[in-house]
Amino acid sequence: MPASPSTARAINDRLALRLLQHEGPLTAGQLKQLTGLSRPSVADLVERLTASGLIEVVGEAGEQRRGPNARLYGIVADRAHLAALDVRTEGVAVLVSDLVGEVLAEASVPIGGDTGTGTAVEQAVSLVERAVKEAEAAAPPREGARTWGRLHTLGIGAPGLIDPASGELRDSSGLPEWHRRLVAALQERFPEARAHVENETNLAALAEQREGAARGRDTFVLLWLGHGTGAAVVLDGALRRGASGGTGEIGFLPVPGTNGLPSATDCEGGFHSLAGSAAIAVLAGEHGLTAPARPDEPVAAALVRAAVDAPDTGAPAAFLDALADRLALGAASVVAVLDPGCVVLGGEVGQAGGEVLARRVARRLRRMAPLPTEVRAGALGGGGVLRGALLTARDAAQEELFATAHRP
């Protein structure tokens, strides 16, 4: 059946908004060309979206730069603010952006392992409050639009399992209690904002797919290499979470070369024992390698970066070869089960290893797995979690705000 006039208008408006999001400001003529709609239909949707406060004239284009045909329309960026959080065991990073993703404020705070739960939660919430206030100062609400510029959506990336039914962070062994309490505390402090919680590795995969090493891939696996290990699985364009939210817990994968086997509550003896930051540091020490650690990344990333920057001979080359042997074990297991066609080495260690490490892993993978698989170095490193959290918040906010134009 043909769409009703109201449904057709909603579809056209959503299409125009998506084009403005991805292509930037456009003239009515450009919208007509990209949507295939008639000139009157484009004029109507521009009028509707302007009246609803979703788009506005942001400039002029063309040689003459005057008149209605030269007007450039763009999304009203200060319609809402978004917050993205990267929650780690050792601290929290946050950034606040406008509706189109322009960063207005960012900050981080370390949280020691001996910090009490209540204190840790308050430190994290206060950090978000300060960032939100800084963003509001940078882009104050417009006169007559008092609800604009308020925090609308929170995107939160955290380690551990996310319950697929409730969307809540589940109680996971080895993670601090303040992680689970943080989301409720943020909702209490920002009652008008909607919170979306996702596993950190899944968010990194989303960011790598849209803006990083996995662009152009609708099926791939991201192998997270940071303080710990993890994996994110994207098949046919969809992120796969599993029945309990545990898809990608590759740290528990039994592999040869470890002393023992993992248990239901401890990944020691699994792939984590070969590819976690501490294990990589021990491996580097066995090859006589050292490197000064940066405060914002695992020590393994500095060691891998130093080996990559050194001549490809002697101890640095031997260390990278041994590390590639280890990583290929985990990658081969994933490839044999999922046949993703592409494995991205993500996280701080994957980014530090770059193409030098990726090529080594690819060579070993070709010998171990019968399925053709490309190995790519992650482009976003540890920053992929925060970027993925922002993309998630932006998508959710736009989905809701874009729909308001057609609510009765």
Side-chain angles (χ1 to χ4, degrees):
M1 293 179 62
S4 66
S6 61
T7 300
R9 286 193 296 269
I11 293 172
N12 293 340
D13 290 359
R14 186 68 61 90
L15 174 60
L17 287 164
R18 291 302 178 198
L19 287 169
L20 290 169
Q21 168 65 57
H22 295 296
E23 303 294 332
L26 299 168
T27 64
Q30 290 170 326
L31 282 170
K32 175 181 179 297
Q33 181 179 10
L34 292 171
T35 60
L37 298 172
S38 67
R39 189 178 300 276
S41 294
V42 170
D44 287 344
L45 74 82
V46 166
E47 183 178 356
R48 283 194 302 274
L49 295 177
T50 301
S52 66
L54 290 174
I55 70 171
E56 63 184 349
V57 177
V58 296
E60 294 184 329
E63 294 182 1
Q64 301 301 320
R65 294 188 179 274
R66 63 175 184 270
N69 293 334
R71 292 173 185 163
L72 276 171
Y73 296 93
I75 293 174
V76 179
D78 57 356
R79 189 71 169 79
H81 285 170
L82 319 171
L85 280 77
D86 180 0
V87 182
R88 305 284 181 103
T89 55
E90 68 278 4
V92 176
V94 60
L95 63 80
V96 180
S97 82
D98 60 24
L99 184 58
V100 297
E102 183 71 24
V103 177
L104 303 173
E106 52 188 320
S108 62
V109 62
I111 298 178
D114 57 350
T115 306
T117 298
T119 302
V121 170
E122 184 55 35
Q123 286 179 346
V125 173
S126 296
L127 179 77
V128 178
E129 281 189 319
R130 290 195 298 272
V132 168
K133 289 179 181 178
E134 182 180 340
E136 290 174 348
R142 304 181 185 201
E143 183 178 355
R146 290 177 295 175
T147 62
W148 289 14
R150 290 182 180 176
L151 186 62
H152 183 281
T153 306
L154 290 146
I156 304 170
L161 306 183
I162 309 299
D163 190 307
S166 67
E168 296 179 352
L169 186 65
R170 294 174 56 188
D171 188 10
S172 302
S173 60
L175 296 178
E177 173 65 21
W178 64 266
H179 278 200
R180 296 187 68 246
R181 298 193 185 181
L182 177 58
V183 177
L186 287 168
Q187 290 278 229
E188 182 177 349
R189 197 69 58 94
F190 301 101
E192 296 180 357
R194 296 120 178 111
H196 298 264
V197 187
E198 183 58 88
N199 173 267
E200 58 179 356
T201 307
N202 288 344
L203 290 178
L206 170 65
E208 291 283 6
Q209 184 183 36
R210 292 204 190 174
E211 302 178 348
R215 278 179 293 187
R217 298 287 317 189
D218 64 356
T219 295
F220 69 99
V221 168
L222 180 131
L223 193 62
W224 178 262
L225 304 169
H227 284 289
T229 57
V233 178
V234 178
L235 301 177
D236 299 324
L239 182 67
R240 306 296 180 174
R241 296 177 176 84
S244 61
T247 294
E249 288 295 312
I250 198 172
F252 287 86
L253 181 72
V255 291
T258 64
N259 296 321
L261 292 171
S263 70
T265 58
D266 190 352
C267 60
E268 287 301 322
F271 183 62
H272 172 81
S273 295
L274 295 182
S277 180
I280 294 174
V282 171
L283 180 64
E286 293 173 354
H287 288 82
L289 300 180
T290 61
R294 297 179 181 177
D296 59 342
E297 69 177 11
V299 63
L303 292 163
V304 171
R305 186 180 298 108
V308 168
D309 291 340
D312 196 9
T313 58
F319 163 63
L320 291 173
D321 286 339
L323 177 57
D325 287 340
R326 294 183 174 193
L327 299 181
L329 288 174
S333 299
V334 169
V335 168
V337 175
L338 298 175
D339 185 19
C342 178
V343 172
V344 176
L345 304 182
E348 295 91 345
V349 175
Q351 184 183 44
E355 290 302 319
V356 172
L357 182 59
R359 284 195 298 269
R360 279 174 157 86
V361 174
R363 285 197 296 267
R364 287 154 177 81
L365 195 55
R366 282 195 294 269
R367 296 196 297 265
M368 297 174 65
L371 306 173
T373 307
E374 183 181 4
V375 179
R376 300 181 182 180
L380 303 176
V385 178
L386 203 56
R387 189 62 194 167
L390 178 59
L391 290 171
T392 297
R394 191 185 73 185
D395 288 351
Q398 290 184 356
E399 184 69 23
E400 178 173 338
L401 291 172
F402 290 177
T404 60
H406 303 283
R407 288 177 183 166

